[in-house]
Amino acid sequence: MAQCVQSVQELIPDSFVPCVAALCSDEAERLTRLNHLSFAELLKPFSRLTSEVHMRDPNNQLHIIKNLKIAVSNIITQPPQPGAIRKLLNDVVSGSQPAEGLVANVITAGDYDLNISDRSIKASVPWYSNWKDTLMELKESSLYTATTPWFESYRETFLQSMPASDHEFLNHYLACMLVASSNEVEPMEQFSKLSQEQHRIQHNNDYSYPKWFIPNTLKYYVLLHDVSAGDEQRAESIYEEMKQKYGTQGCYLLKINSRTSNRASDEQIPDPWSQYLQKSSIQNQESYEDGPCTITSNKNSDSNLLSLDGLDNEVKVDGLPNNFRAHPLQLDQSSDPSNSIDGPDHVKSASSLHETKKANTGIIHGACLTLTDHDRIRQFIQEFTFRGLLPHIEKTIRQLNDQLISRKGLSRSLFSATKKWFSGSKVPEKSINELKNTSGLLYPPEAPELQIRKMADLCFLVQHYDLAYSCYHTAKKDFLNDQAMLYAAGALEMAAVSAFLQPGAPRPYPAHYMDTAIQTYRDICRNMVLAERCVLLSAEILKSQSKYSEAAALLIRLTSEDSDLRSALLLEQAAHCFINMKSPMVRKYAFHMILAGHRFSKAGQKKHALRCYCQAMQVYKGKGWSLAEDHINFTIGRQSYTLRQLDNAVSAFRHILINESKQSAAQQGAFLREYLYVYKNVSQLSPDGPLPQLPLPYINSSATRVFFGHDRRPADGEKQAATHVSLDQEYDSESSQQWRELEEQVVAVVNKGIIPSSFYPTQYCLNSYSDNSRFPLAVVEEPITVEVAFRNPLKVPLLLTDLSLLWKFQPKDFSGKDNEEVKELARLKLFPHHIGELHILGVVYNLGTIQGSMTVDGIGALPGCHTGKHSLGMSVRGRQDLEIQGPRLNNTKEEKTSIKYGPDRRLDPIITEEMPLLEVFFIHFPTGLLCGEIRKAYVEFVNVSKCPLTALKVVSKRPEFFTFGGNTAVLTPLSPSASENCSAYKTVVTDSTSVCTALTSSASSVDFGIGIGSQPEVIPVPLPDTVLLPGASVQLPMWLRGPDEEGVHEINFLFYYESVKKQPKIRHRILRHTAVICTSRSLNVRATVCRSNSLEDEEGRGGNMLVFVDVENTNTSEAGVKEFHIVQVSSSSKHWKLQNSVNLAENKEAKLASREKGKFCFKAVRCKEKEAAVQSSERYTFADIIFGNEQIISSASPCADFFYRSLSSELKKSQAQLSLHTEKHSIEDAVRLIQKCSEVDLNIIILWKAYVVEDSKQLILEGQHHVILRTIGKEAFSYPQKQELPEMELLKFFRPENTAVSSRPSVDQLSNLIKTSLHYPESFNHPFHQKSLCLVPVTLLLSNCSKADVDVIVDLRHKTTSPEALEIHGSFTWLGQTQYKLQLKSQEIHSLQLKACFVHTGVYNLGTPRVFAKLSDQVTVFETSQQNSMPALIIINNM
């Protein structure tokens, strides 16, 4: 149980005190009423004796009584009604609340922080020893007092309001004060009347109430004298007369009212009455629901009938209203407005409440009394007790003792008898279950058993506990023998209490007596009031012995359905027992607090219920017991709401909703509706106050995205808007990195190769992945969209309406607009109309519920849908802030060791001045192409802002995919046939004579934007006048070429543009577009080039070459392609050109159906020296060989554009590979020269048409493929080759030797340094029968392919050693000089005349000479192996 102000040794004697009746005349009552008090109330504060009192027991032993208190009360002739008692107890409890402003004595122990009423106790689970020690200290320390004043008030009032009953005499009247005034006309006559009145009430059978202890009640006559108004001499004379008549022991002159009430303001006299009047006792009632009380008064004063307790029906004496017909639990709101709004910690204490009322009504108690009068009253009580009451009690005890001895014929004194009773044969006590229900047995008033009980009660009242115990014990046995169970239970109860209170504790406390008494009262007598008294006393006794467990069990046992208030108080005390145990049971404490709170709530004690739940919540909080927490929070919310503590109610309901609830959907819906209802009431209290924070739905702040700019326009027919950036795109770190690189590339080009230090990549969409450390820049008059990610943790749908952003802006002349749509993601827009700084703070919205599946305007109200009307359920307006935590810093040592976060400024944009805004539309833009197909589309550029834009550029990682046409695009005339067929190429009609011979033209790569050191990826857009004015639009043609690999290609375009007027904050803007193209297979082209064996060309110079081109149709006719026509083959090179076609079937059209392959052979010659000389290093010669009647001008757009683009991308790849393979030392010049011999730079362009049938219409598609020939004899392809991964090899560990790697040219390269060819007759006829040796002249031509001087050694001594070769070819001999040494100048051709000697017919291979070569200025000799060249076969015939 909770700590009490009184110890149990003080509590019990104060609960059972001698009762004295008071009967006053009207005049006497009037005198006391001047002080706003009745006579009984006047005496209340002074009713405890300040000194010890002595009396003698029946054995004439001196007995000391300490702290004796007497109870004086007005006579009321009706027993108190149970309803009235209930009402009073209810009021007492509700009037006593925890005092506010107490300084908590915080003691840290463990991990529970229990704030029990007025102190903060910490407790923990599990119970560790240190915890126990702390709690032990805490219990023993005087600081710790978890008091429950409402319980003590209840107990005190309950014990005082016990109605007097026949089976016990503790609260029967022992004496009666008869009070008259000295102002009476005939005071002595008045005393006689009062005496008769008392006699009539006691002895007339009409009155069964009140109860009197013995027939001859002590009458004590009191004369009241008003000092300020009365005649003192007359008073004294009347008093003398009284002493004559009633004896000095039986009367008293009490002088009061030493001053008049109008002098009350002069000095402040203490008011000791208010605390007693607040706890108005049961005698101070007038009328209750249960029925009126009959109040007796002097017959003479019937005309103005005053109630004897002095409370007039019309007068509110202590400011409390007398209208008890209102709800018994309703607080007096008018008199204490603070109660309605104060939180649980601010409830006014009872005394302060009373003082408020007293101040309100202006009533001062004892206004006419001085401190001397106080002393006189105190003296009067002393005299009455010493001279009247105690001698009367002493005499009565003796009489009773004598009667008992004489009746029972026992020995002289009960003391000696006690031993006999104890040691004698005991009556076996029957168990309670065996006893008959004999609670109805009644003894006559003079029965000896009752006389024993009377004597026991008298002894108990004067604290003679030894004698009382003996008497109770005796009475108990008698009652049990008679099976008078009510009487027995009463004797048992008091015997147990007497035994406990005996000085020196001769015997242990007989708790089993109490248990039996409680069981008897409750089960047999059905008297819960008496049972409750037993429990209250016994629990206090057990608590004082630290038997908390037994006390708790006892308290819990008496909780029942018949009284919620009692059950609540007892459960609360049981909970305090659990917390006070040696090993405190905190969870049991909490559980019983919940039960107590529930019962308080049923009893209408809302504040106490709320307090209990709040205290229990401290234990359940944060333990993961979510359903328990929900229940407690829900109840706290409900109770707080009832008490108009709306903020507490809101926060309690908020807790239910924001924790991950495990409740069912229906329950969550109920919680939500309750929350919204309470919340609505709160917001109505302060409609103009700031919007409160709403707990739902959850906002994932870090997922907030901010988008700057307009929404993307949808595709409009053939027009397709640039994809740009939108909130619908998922973040992809790889692609964002690519865009960043593209932007850096274009900015570097614009700034002459240097990226300025102030450059920062443009971010249109800010999210948790973007770099948000800077303030983002937004442009005036362009919307800012904020996407807020909501999450609904509940299983019920939430309806959000009127969603808008909360922002602040400097300067002030800014207006914002917003719109809303409700999904899991809400997108809200702001339109800034002024430059300045914007701060987006949060969102404001109405939160509501959807009730059922109502249909609104024919729309089913599905979860999350935005219906036409929002009257579906209740909704409230509130806000949630958007606070985004920046990234954790991890750069410096300090940041690594501590937890620091950087700023996240995505919600704080700076609004800058107007900028141009570009929109790009693509017209006839294809989604599918054949590999290499050329298609013409148009791009429309629109400036939708109010500023002109300039410096428009586009950058892409795939420049070979598109072109706007080079400078030559405008020069080439458009032929009529080309326009008919809508060909993408520039064509001219040719004569049929020129078929298969080359038509040449030349072009410079600079014209097509592929210059030295230029960035082919950054392409300027050819705007007319290079400026796009506000509102203007321009359409430009754009040629596209399908990429060479089949599949889906994502091609990123980044358009870069600037404002004509330079802005300090934003230098440029960008627009992104991602084109998705699906390519399907068309043609595969492979080509090789080799030296022609015919050494001379027309000009007599060496160096003709043959070009072999294989074209295969790999299309699987998915795209409906019937056949491909090769319409033209062109070459482009700085040094070579195609001369003519050497195909066998000259005029055959080059058609390829599906899976067919065609082979072409062309002769290539060097460009004329003079042509080459004129050409700059960047000029290319184009030669076209036409297979139809139209020449496509390959040196013009778009053919040349795509050729140059593919060339530059090839160059990039080869450079990248070179850079990978470069070694520390550069390749030697010698090797480089040798390598150059086998190099050729010849590029082949295959132009084709494809005939496609689509929707029964024939379309013609065109395209081109490029093959770049770099090396003689090496096959080249038009499509990228997949590189096969090398097989895995075992890892070898070896120590590298420091041998320099000799860079030797490969065999292929060496064979190309010197080209050899033998000239001889194919067959030779010789008459062997005439001449046995056959001599054949052979010319060996040596051609130097390199640009340096070469020393050559020709060795003819080589013989074929392999037997196979001999078998096949046979052997022959060279005649004459067997070794030649000669030097060949650059590209010189030299012929040697040789003779071969044959001895018989056959076929011979003449290719046996070995040729060695070295560069003249080098030492190393390389053999140019010709063995792998074709055999030079000669046939020798016999004539």
Side-chain angles (χ1 to χ4, degrees):
M1 286 172 81
Q3 302 288 328
C4 291
V5 178
Q6 289 179 302
S7 71
V8 67
Q9 280 80 5
E10 296 167 331
L11 167 77
I12 295 175
D14 274 6
S15 303
F16 300 100
V17 294
C19 292
V20 178
L23 199 53
C24 302
S25 72
D26 294 348
E27 186 60 27
E29 194 64 49
R30 189 186 66 76
L31 289 183
T32 56
R33 178 59 61 222
L34 292 172
N35 295 295
H36 302 297
L37 297 164
S38 69
F39 180 72
E41 287 167 353
L42 183 73
L43 304 182
K44 257 216 169 91
F46 312 103
S47 58
R48 187 184 293 280
L49 300 187
T50 51
S51 56
E52 288 182 354
V53 195
H54 296 204
M55 64 171 279
R56 293 197 173 270
D57 63 17
N59 275 1
N60 220 18
Q61 298 291 319
L62 192 67
H63 172 61
I64 300 168
I65 307 168
K66 295 179 182 175
N67 281 336
L68 181 64
K69 181 181 170 186
I70 61 167
V72 181
S73 56
N74 297 325
I75 293 177
I76 294 181
T77 56
Q78 278 283 333
Q81 302 297 327
I85 296 174
R86 279 200 301 274
K87 168 75 181 69
L88 179 71
L89 292 173
N90 237 326
D91 291 350
V92 163
V93 173
S94 62
S96 176
Q97 298 290 342
E100 62 175 308
L102 276 171
V103 181
N105 175 27
V106 179
I107 298 169
T108 305
D111 32 337
Y112 275 120
D113 184 355
L114 298 185
N115 181 357
I116 298 181
S117 77
D118 57 351
R119 288 286 182 265
S120 189
I121 299 183
K122 293 204 172 178
S124 74
V125 161
W127 313 115
Y128 297 120
S129 55
N130 63 344
W131 198 91
K132 292 183 191 169
D133 300 345
T134 316
L135 226 78
M136 290 290 93
E137 285 167 31
L138 196 144
K139 264 194 235 174
E140 288 153 18
S141 77
S142 57
L143 289 167
Y144 164 60
T145 53
T147 58
T148 48
W150 49 92
F151 172 69
E152 289 171 51
S153 303
Y154 171 87
R155 186 177 58 198
E156 183 185 338
T157 309
F158 171 80
L159 292 170
Q160 282 176 6
S161 64
M162 291 278 298
S165 59
D166 291 331
H167 79 287
E168 63 181 17
F169 306 95
L170 290 161
N171 51 1
H172 291 196
Y173 286 133
L174 278 160
C176 181
M177 290 181 182
L178 303 172
V179 188
S181 164
S182 61
N183 294 355
E184 309 261 1
V185 184
E186 289 289 345
M188 297 307 285
E189 191 183 325
Q190 189 67 46
F191 279 127
S192 304
K193 281 184 182 174
L194 290 172
S195 179
Q196 287 163 16
E197 182 73 18
Q198 188 277 329
H199 189 271
R200 189 172 67 80
I201 290 171
Q202 181 171 356
H203 296 291
N204 191 333
N205 288 335
D206 295 348
Y207 297 102
S208 62
Y209 200 85
K211 307 279 184 189
W212 303 88
F213 208 99
I214 46 174
N216 55 338
T217 302
L218 168 69
K219 290 177 183 168
Y220 196 76
Y221 299 89
V222 181
L223 182 65
L224 268 188
H225 174 61
D226 187 325
V227 177
S228 61
D231 182 347
E232 191 148 343
Q233 282 183 339
R234 180 168 187 256
E236 290 291 347
S237 68
I238 296 168
Y239 181 47
E240 285 303 319
E241 197 179 334
M242 286 167 66
K243 284 199 275 191
Q244 296 296 319
K245 186 172 181 182
Y246 306 121
T248 52
Q249 307 285 330
C251 59
Y252 194 83
L253 170 62
L254 176 58
K255 297 177 181 177
I256 58 167
N257 296 2
S258 295
R259 61 176 185 171
T260 53
S261 56
N262 58 4
R263 285 179 52 238
S265 56
D266 297 354
E267 55 177 319
Q268 282 295 315
I269 299 286
D271 174 6
W273 290 275
S274 55
Q275 56 178 319
Y276 293 99
L277 293 179
Q278 184 61 26
K279 306 171 183 172
S280 46
S281 71
I282 195 67
Q283 285 82 7
N284 293 356
Q285 316 151 43
E286 289 174 299
S287 61
Y288 289 91
E289 305 87 341
D290 295 81
C293 303
T294 309
I295 299 172
T296 61
S297 92
N298 195 323
K299 290 281 177 289
N300 297 346
S301 59
D302 281 347
S303 55
N304 59 338
L305 182 67
L306 267 174
S307 55
L308 282 184
D309 63 331
L311 292 180
D312 201 327
N313 284 349
E314 282 75 30
V315 183
K316 290 188 182 179
V317 178
D318 57 354
L320 287 165
N322 287 333
N323 174 16
F324 287 110
R325 298 201 177 275
H327 189 276
L329 310 171
Q330 194 169 344
L331 278 172
D332 183 19
Q333 303 276 333
S334 60
S335 59
D336 187 9
S338 61
N339 264 4
S340 58
I341 48 174
D342 282 356
D345 303 328
H346 308 289
V347 176
K348 298 277 187 200
S349 65
S351 57
S352 67
L353 180 73
H354 176 69
E355 266 146 40
T356 315
K357 295 186 172 173
K358 189 169 70 179
N360 286 353
T361 48
I363 288 178
I364 300 169
H365 301 293
C368 302
L369 302 175
T370 61
L371 288 175
T372 317
D373 291 337
H374 289 196
D375 291 339
R376 286 177 184 145
I377 298 169
R378 201 172 281 116
Q379 186 61 38
F380 159 63
I381 294 289
Q382 294 270 75
E383 285 290 314
F384 165 71
T385 312
F386 283 23
R387 308 246 173 138
L389 186 62
L390 283 177
H392 175 67
I393 291 174
E394 194 176 315
K395 186 176 86 179
T396 310
I397 291 176
R398 283 179 189 282
Q399 283 174 357
L400 288 168
N401 191 37
D402 293 346
Q403 275 180 25
L404 287 170
I405 288 165
S406 63
R407 256 184 213 176
K408 291 245 177 183
L410 300 168
S411 53
R412 270 294 304 149
S413 166
L414 270 172
F415 280 133
S416 55
T418 314
K419 282 184 190 167
K420 193 172 175 185
W421 290 335
F422 283 138
S423 57
S425 59
K426 284 190 178 178
V427 180
E429 292 186 17
K430 297 176 178 162
S431 79
I432 253 184
N433 299 331
E434 292 172 39
L435 294 170
K436 299 196 298 290
N437 184 7
T438 50
S439 56
L441 174 64
L442 290 172
Y443 289 100
E446 61 282 347
E449 290 86 355
L450 285 192
Q451 304 308 315
I452 298 180
R453 169 73 208 226
K454 246 179 209 178
M455 180 176 164
D457 284 351
L458 268 179
C459 295
F460 190 87
L461 288 173
V462 293
Q463 303 175 10
H464 200 320
Y465 299 118
D466 293 346
L467 187 51
Y469 177 75
S470 302
C471 295
Y472 284 131
H473 201 276
T474 306
K476 174 202 68 152
K477 292 212 281 192
D478 291 347
F479 292 140
L480 281 174
N481 283 340
D482 297 341
Q483 293 200 359
M485 295 315 296
L486 179 64
Y487 294 89
L492 280 165
E493 175 189 2
M494 296 315 292
V497 175
S498 305
F500 171 72
L501 289 173
Q502 276 178 347
R507 52 180 63 79
Y509 167 61
H512 59 289
Y513 279 15
M514 273 295 194
D515 294 345
T516 309
I518 294 166
Q519 206 172 343
T520 308
Y521 281 142
R522 195 182 62 191
D523 300 340
I524 295 176
C525 307
R526 307 269 177 231
N527 191 328
M528 290 305 285
V529 176
L530 292 167
E532 185 177 350
R533 183 179 69 185
C534 278
V535 166
L536 292 175
L537 296 174
S538 185
E540 276 300 329
I541 292 167
L542 290 168
K543 188 188 88 173
S544 70
Q545 299 176 336
S546 294
K547 294 180 177 173
Y548 289 105
S549 181
E550 292 87 336
L554 193 64
L555 292 160
I556 293 166
R557 202 186 315 158
L558 202 69
T559 56
S560 63
E561 288 307 310
D562 64 321
S563 169
D564 289 313
L565 182 64
R566 178 185 70 229
S567 302
L569 287 159
L570 297 184
L571 282 165
E572 185 181 14
Q573 293 307 307
H576 281 287
C577 288
F578 290 122
I579 201 84
N580 279 312
M581 285 181 179
K582 206 168 186 180
S583 298
M585 296 179 165
V586 177
R587 284 185 301 204
K588 270 203 164 178
Y589 158 78
F591 182 64
H592 285 84
M593 274 310 226
I594 295 284
L595 296 176
H598 175 63
R599 297 308 287 270
F600 270 130
S601 180
K602 283 175 75 178
Q605 297 281 351
K606 303 295 181 193
K607 287 187 180 178
H608 287 296
L610 177 60
R611 179 182 47 73
C612 288
Y613 275 100
C614 288
Q615 288 183 12
M617 187 59 183
Q618 299 171 101
V619 177
Y620 288 109
K621 195 165 54 187
K623 295 287 175 295
W625 296 1
S626 64
L627 295 178
E629 270 190 72
D630 287 353
H631 170 77
I632 297 170
N633 271 317
F634 183 69
T635 313
I636 289 174
R638 273 258 168 107
Q639 300 289 10
S640 301
Y641 178 72
T642 313
L643 293 168
R644 306 306 292 161
Q645 297 171 12
L646 297 179
D647 291 344
N648 293 349
V650 167
S651 79
F653 282 119
R654 183 191 176 94
H655 275 294
I656 305 178
L657 297 174
I658 58 176
N659 296 332
E660 293 291 343
S661 175
K662 296 188 174 66
Q663 302 283 2
S664 66
Q667 191 64 50
Q668 287 182 354
F671 285 158
L672 180 61
R673 284 192 296 278
E674 197 97 10
Y675 169 75
L676 294 176
Y677 178 71
V678 173
Y679 187 95
K680 205 173 182 93
N681 281 285
V682 175
S683 53
Q684 281 165 359
L685 284 179
S686 54
D688 303 328
L691 281 173
Q693 298 278 347
L694 288 173
L696 288 173
Y698 287 0
I699 289 184
N700 183 0
S701 290
S702 61
T704 304
R705 298 194 296 168
V706 183
F707 176 67
F708 301 99
H710 294 278
D711 290 342
R712 183 181 166 232
R713 291 196 194 172
D716 175 19
E718 288 293 325
K719 267 194 186 185
Q720 178 194 350
T723 53
H724 196 41
V725 186
S726 82
L727 284 168
D728 299 324
Q729 296 164 2
E730 290 292 319
Y731 175 80
D732 177 12
S733 57
E734 203 175 309
S735 75
S736 65
Q737 181 58 31
Q738 283 175 11
W739 288 116
R740 184 184 174 136
E741 285 169 9
L742 286 174
E743 189 175 354
E744 282 175 1
Q745 215 170 340
V746 68
V747 168
V749 168
V750 170
N751 290 286
K752 305 190 173 49
I754 300 155
I755 294 178
S757 58
S758 61
F759 167 74
Y760 190 67
T762 310
Q763 296 187 121
Y764 282 110
C765 184
L766 301 178
N767 51 30
S768 51
Y769 306 106
S770 56
D771 178 5
N772 305 322
S773 57
R774 294 162 174 252
F775 291 104
L777 299 174
V779 177
V780 93
E781 297 298 342
E782 289 186 22
I784 299 167
T785 307
V786 181
E787 182 185 84
V788 184
F790 289 114
R791 182 169 74 81
N792 181 3
L794 303 182
K795 298 168 189 161
V796 290
L798 300 174
L799 183 71
L800 305 190
T801 53
D802 296 342
L803 205 63
S804 56
L805 284 173
L806 202 61
W807 41 259
K808 70 172 182 187
F809 183 79
Q810 299 107 3
K812 299 288 177 269
D813 54 337
F814 172 86
S815 61
K817 293 176 278 189
D818 36 49
N819 72 338
E820 96 288 341
E821 55 181 281
V822 181
K823 295 180 185 168
E824 293 238 333
L825 298 170
R827 290 184 186 163
L828 303 151
K829 277 190 191 167
L830 284 176
F831 279 89
H833 298 317
H834 201 287
I835 58 174
E837 289 180 18
L838 178 64
H839 301 281
I840 296 165
L841 306 175
V843 283
V844 185
Y845 55 95
N846 292 340
L847 172 64
T849 57
I850 298 176
Q851 294 177 335
S853 56
M854 291 171 61
T855 311
V856 181
D857 299 340
I859 308 164
L862 298 168
C865 79
H866 190 77
T867 48
K869 293 178 185 170
H870 308 312
S871 56
L872 293 173
M874 194 177 307
S875 74
V876 296
R877 189 144 188 83
R879 64 182 279 188
Q880 278 200 64
D881 291 341
L882 288 171
E883 290 168 353
I884 304 174
Q885 188 180 55
R888 183 165 172 192
L889 302 174
N890 202 22
N891 299 327
T892 63
K893 187 179 179 184
E894 184 193 351
E895 286 168 358
K896 284 176 182 171
T897 50
S898 61
I899 297 178
K900 284 189 178 175
Y901 292 92
D904 192 303
R905 301 206 167 101
R906 68 182 101 156
L907 295 174
D908 303 315
I910 294 169
I911 314 297
T912 63
E913 289 176 21
E914 276 195 310
M915 282 290 288
L917 185 62
L918 176 72
E919 284 195 359
V920 178
F921 298 96
F922 296 89
I923 301 162
H924 300 307
F925 201 87
T927 52
L929 291 171
L930 294 172
C931 292
E933 182 189 342
I934 305 284
R935 189 79 65 87
K936 187 176 187 179
Y938 288 90
V939 191
E940 185 174 11
F941 297 97
V942 188
N943 182 356
V944 293
S945 68
K946 294 174 184 170
C947 307
L949 67 85
T950 185
L952 178 57
K953 294 179 171 48
V954 60
V955 59
S956 173
K957 286 265 190 272
R958 304 281 296 269
E960 69 274 13
F961 170 66
F962 69 99
T963 178
F964 289 106
N967 299 349
T968 58
V970 285
L971 305 174
T972 318
L974 191 67
S975 72
S977 59
S979 63
E980 272 170 33
N981 294 332
C982 295
S983 169
Y985 290 113
K986 302 282 184 280
T987 60
V988 290
V989 181
T990 55
D991 314 329
S992 55
T993 54
S994 63
V995 171
C996 298
T997 56
L999 301 166
T1000 58
S1001 57
S1002 71
S1004 166
S1005 62
V1006 181
D1007 294 340
F1008 295 93
I1010 315 289
I1012 306 167
S1014 75
Q1015 284 263 12
E1017 287 94 347
V1018 180
I1019 299 155
V1021 177
L1023 286 179
D1025 308 328
T1026 69
V1027 172
L1028 195 57
L1029 296 173
S1033 71
V1034 64
Q1035 278 194 9
L1036 294 175
M1038 182 189 212
W1039 287 271
L1040 309 169
R1041 177 177 181 269
D1044 286 318
E1045 305 97 334
E1046 68 166 331
V1048 177
H1049 302 270
E1050 276 196 11
I1051 295 159
N1052 291 340
F1053 298 92
L1054 185 134
F1055 294 95
Y1056 165 101
Y1057 57 99
E1058 296 171 8
S1059 175
V1060 174
K1061 185 175 131 195
K1062 292 282 176 264
Q1063 296 283 9
K1065 289 247 170 71
I1066 305 182
R1067 298 282 176 85
H1068 68 272
R1069 299 191 85 177
I1070 60 167
L1071 176 72
R1072 301 177 183 176
H1073 176 62
T1074 302
V1076 179
I1077 297 285
C1078 180
T1079 53
S1080 45
R1081 288 189 283 192
S1082 56
L1083 298 177
N1084 268 358
V1085 182
R1086 48 176 77 193
T1088 46
V1089 61
C1090 57
R1091 288 217 164 82
S1092 165
N1093 271 348
S1094 64
L1095 281 167
E1096 278 106 13
D1097 54 12
E1098 291 84 4
E1099 286 85 28
R1101 289 193 67 258
N1104 291 355
M1105 289 205 276
L1106 291 178
V1107 180
F1108 296 95
V1109 180
D1110 290 7
V1111 184
E1112 183 186 359
N1113 176 358
T1114 55
N1115 186 280
T1116 50
S1117 40
E1118 296 149 7
V1121 180
K1122 276 204 306 188
E1123 57 184 7
F1124 285 91
H1125 286 214
I1126 310 298
V1127 291
Q1128 184 170 314
V1129 178
S1130 300
S1131 70
S1132 168
S1133 169
K1134 292 179 192 175
H1135 310 295
W1136 296 86
K1137 63 180 183 186
L1138 291 183
Q1139 192 181 36
N1140 56 12
S1141 164
V1142 290
N1143 269 26
L1144 301 174
E1146 295 267 333
N1147 296 320
K1148 190 187 170 200
E1149 283 192 353
K1151 293 182 187 173
L1152 295 173
S1154 181
R1155 291 291 176 194
E1156 281 188 352
K1157 193 186 270 192
K1159 204 173 184 75
F1160 299 87
C1161 179
F1162 302 100
K1163 182 177 175 187
V1165 296
R1166 278 189 190 276
C1167 296
K1168 297 193 171 95
E1169 282 298 337
K1170 56 176 183 286
E1171 281 178 22
V1174 173
Q1175 288 172 356
S1176 71
S1177 61
E1178 293 301 319
R1179 269 195 101 68
Y1180 285 76
T1181 301
F1182 287 83
D1184 302 335
I1185 293 178
I1186 305 149
F1187 293 98
N1189 57 356
E1190 264 186 343
Q1191 176 197 359
I1192 295 172
I1193 299 169
S1194 55
S1195 61
S1197 286
C1199 179
D1201 294 87
F1202 289 117
F1203 160 67
Y1204 282 124
R1205 301 257 157 103
S1206 67
L1207 188 66
S1208 68
S1209 64
E1210 276 296 323
L1211 281 168
K1212 259 188 156 178
K1213 282 181 198 164
S1214 56
Q1215 279 166 4
Q1217 284 173 347
L1218 270 177
S1219 63
L1220 287 173
H1221 298 304
T1222 48
E1223 287 154 14
K1224 282 174 192 170
H1225 51 278
S1226 61
I1227 296 171
E1228 293 168 20
D1229 297 344
V1231 181
R1232 184 74 202 94
L1233 276 167
I1234 292 168
Q1235 282 176 352
K1236 266 191 160 173
C1237 296
S1238 58
E1239 279 179 10
V1240 60
D1241 74 9
L1242 179 60
N1243 308 300
I1244 306 293
I1245 305 168
I1246 311 290
L1247 294 119
W1248 50 263
K1249 283 185 181 174
Y1251 291 88
V1252 179
V1253 177
E1254 195 176 278
D1255 301 334
S1256 72
K1257 280 195 300 189
Q1258 179 161 305
L1259 301 178
I1260 300 177
L1261 307 179
E1262 330 173 75
Q1264 65 188 63
H1265 279 77
H1266 312 120
V1267 184
I1268 295 169
L1269 291 164
R1270 293 249 177 273
T1271 313
I1272 293 174
K1274 190 173 178 187
E1275 198 167 26
F1277 302 89
S1278 67
Y1279 51 93
Q1281 294 299 302
K1282 286 181 187 152
Q1283 291 193 340
E1284 287 186 12
L1285 292 170
E1287 286 184 17
M1288 283 178 67
E1289 292 180 6
L1290 289 173
L1291 197 59
K1292 291 178 184 168
F1293 294 92
F1294 59 90
R1295 189 169 154 203
E1297 293 173 16
N1298 293 338
T1299 53
V1301 180
S1302 62
S1303 52
R1304 288 182 65 89
S1306 67
V1307 174
D1308 290 351
Q1309 288 162 346
L1310 290 175
S1311 65
N1312 290 328
L1313 184 61
I1314 297 290
K1315 189 168 169 72
T1316 59
S1317 74
L1318 291 162
H1319 284 230
Y1320 56 89
E1322 275 185 34
S1323 64
F1324 194 81
N1325 296 334
H1326 179 72
F1328 280 102
H1329 55 276
Q1330 294 175 7
K1331 199 173 180 185
S1332 57
L1333 291 180
C1334 170
L1335 300 180
V1336 180
V1338 177
T1339 308
L1340 174 63
L1341 278 181
L1342 299 171
S1343 168
N1344 177 4
C1345 296
S1346 75
K1347 301 228 171 170
D1349 295 353
V1350 179
D1351 293 346
V1352 183
I1353 300 171
V1354 181
D1355 188 3
L1356 301 178
R1357 290 171 298 181
H1358 172 65
K1359 291 280 188 293
T1360 305
T1361 50
S1362 64
E1364 297 93 348
L1366 287 174
E1367 278 174 31
I1368 297 164
H1369 304 302
S1371 181
F1372 73 98
T1373 312
W1374 293 104
L1375 298 182
Q1377 190 174 340
T1378 54
Q1379 195 175 44
Y1380 298 86
K1381 286 187 183 177
L1382 37 119
Q1383 188 178 44
L1384 296 180
K1385 298 272 183 276
S1386 165
Q1387 298 195 329
E1388 184 190 339
I1389 299 172
H1390 186 80
S1391 62
L1392 285 176
Q1393 301 301 326
L1394 307 176
K1395 279 186 182 162
C1397 176
F1398 304 91
V1399 290
H1400 47 71
T1401 59
V1403 178
Y1404 296 90
N1405 180 10
L1406 296 176
T1408 59
R1410 290 174 72 185
V1411 180
F1412 298 91
K1414 75 176 178 68
L1415 299 179
S1416 300
D1417 52 354
Q1418 294 284 325
V1419 183
T1420 329
V1421 177
F1422 306 120
E1423 177 180 5
T1424 67
S1425 166
Q1426 296 296 319
Q1427 298 302 318
N1428 55 359
S1429 63
M1430 290 194 289
L1433 297 179
I1434 186 168
I1435 303 168
I1436 305 294
N1437 295 323
N1438 190 7
M1439 280 168 66

